[in-house]
Amino acid sequence: MSRLVLTGSGRIRHNELGVIHYVVRSQAKRFVARWKTGELHLSVPPRVTEDEFYKALDELKPRLLPRKPADNKYYLGQVIDCGEFKVIIESLETNSKLIEARRCTGGWALYVPASLDISSPAVVIAIGRVLRKIAAAEAPAILIPRANELADRIGRHPIGWTISKGQRTLGRCDCRGYIALSCMLVFYEQPLRDYVIYHELAHLSEMNHSPRFHELCNHYCQGREQELVARLKASTLPV
């Protein structure tokens, strides 16, 4: 039994989860894990022993494994279908090292210079960055009209809508009555976009997550709140 307390940061390899980067954070209250470019990043509370660390991994594993990214997150010829538009990843013979996107029929062509290794972490990060720019460009025309349509449907309108770039926070309603929707929503299927919109509209009446809030949100979602929350949690972004 190991009583050695973890400190600082480090990198280990797990048989099932793969490479894990961990950082002990003095303000952390619990373990927080997220996938980034195919590898797991873990925030660890202070005064955790090695045994407690590996026990926590075993407890987190059932939730993390289904979300583990494929080894090759992107590949040439890949089509990311967002409904209103598509993004196709293609190779381009060029002296440039820059990954770029150009509008094309039906959406966007994302060009990766032929000299780059599409599976390398640096290229994966760069492709994700370009995809986020595409999402930001497409989001206003896709999300705002739908949000207004759903607001009309329930007769509840915010003071205004804005588009944010949050990847983990998909929606936010402030105390003034403004609602921000993340541009990342364009990568989700329509029922999940609608759920996030309804969730924020419910906050116009209930600025918390009380039973009354969930009752209202569930009503807006026609009794499907729990189903849609589960589907949203199980979904992964292409960035």
Side-chain angles (χ1 to χ4, degrees):
M1 181 174 182
S2 174
R3 298 185 181 278
L4 180 65
V5 175
L6 291 182
T7 58
S9 61
R11 180 176 180 271
I12 65 169
R13 179 172 289 277
H14 188 276
N15 288 339
E16 295 175 86
L17 296 170
V19 175
I20 299 174
H21 302 266
Y22 69 86
V23 179
V24 178
R25 301 189 184 280
S26 60
Q27 302 301 316
K29 303 297 184 184
R30 59 188 176 87
F31 287 87
V32 177
R34 68 187 182 102
W35 293 104
K36 184 177 179 181
T37 64
E39 297 181 344
L40 188 64
H41 290 250
L42 190 66
S43 292
V44 181
R47 297 179 294 281
V48 168
T49 66
E50 284 188 350
D51 286 339
E52 291 170 334
F53 176 81
Y54 284 104
K55 181 181 178 182
L57 281 180
D58 287 338
E59 293 173 350
L60 290 168
K61 188 171 64 176
R63 177 168 61 88
L64 293 171
L65 279 176
R67 300 184 182 184
K68 183 180 180 182
D71 290 338
N72 293 323
K73 185 169 185 177
Y74 304 117
Y75 54 89
L76 297 178
Q78 181 178 359
V79 177
I80 301 172
D81 191 345
C82 301
E84 295 83 356
F85 68 96
K86 296 179 181 179
V87 179
I88 182 168
I89 299 178
E90 299 180 344
S91 179
L92 181 67
E93 291 290 344
T94 175
N95 292 326
S96 172
K97 298 292 184 181
L98 296 178
I99 295 169
E100 59 179 296
R102 303 173 189 170
R103 288 190 180 272
C104 62
T105 303
W108 298 77
L110 191 156
Y111 293 109
V112 179
S115 59
L116 299 182
D117 177 3
I118 197 170
S119 65
S120 74
V123 174
V124 168
I125 291 172
I127 291 175
R129 189 179 299 119
V130 174
L131 285 172
R132 286 191 286 273
K133 289 181 179 179
I134 291 174
E138 293 283 354
I142 294 173
L143 300 180
I144 301 300
R146 180 62 174 177
N148 281 321
E149 179 184 338
L150 297 186
D152 287 341
R153 189 175 297 177
I154 64 173
R156 201 74 170 89
H157 290 268
I159 297 298
W161 301 98
T162 60
I163 299 295
S164 69
K165 296 182 179 180
Q167 189 163 327
R168 301 179 71 180
T169 301
L170 297 177
R172 184 180 67 255
C173 178
D174 68 23
C175 60
R176 300 171 300 169
Y178 287 90
I179 291 178
L181 300 173
S182 171
C183 63
M184 295 294 104
L185 284 170
V186 300
F187 294 123
Y188 288 97
E189 57 182 320
Q190 190 65 57
L192 300 184
R193 297 179 195 169
D194 288 354
Y195 160 71
V196 173
I197 293 169
Y198 278 139
H199 182 107
E200 300 311 324
L201 287 170
H203 276 312
L204 294 174
S205 301
E206 300 288 332
M207 286 298 293
N208 51 42
H209 290 102
S210 64
R212 170 57 185 158
F213 165 83
H214 289 293
E215 179 183 346
L216 185 60
C217 184
N218 191 49
H219 172 68
Y220 290 165
C221 297
Q222 300 181 320
R224 299 176 62 199
E225 183 194 22
Q226 289 188 351
E227 171 207 337
L228 294 169
V229 168
R231 286 170 59 184
L232 187 63
K233 288 181 177 178
S235 299
T236 56
L237 287 168
V239 297

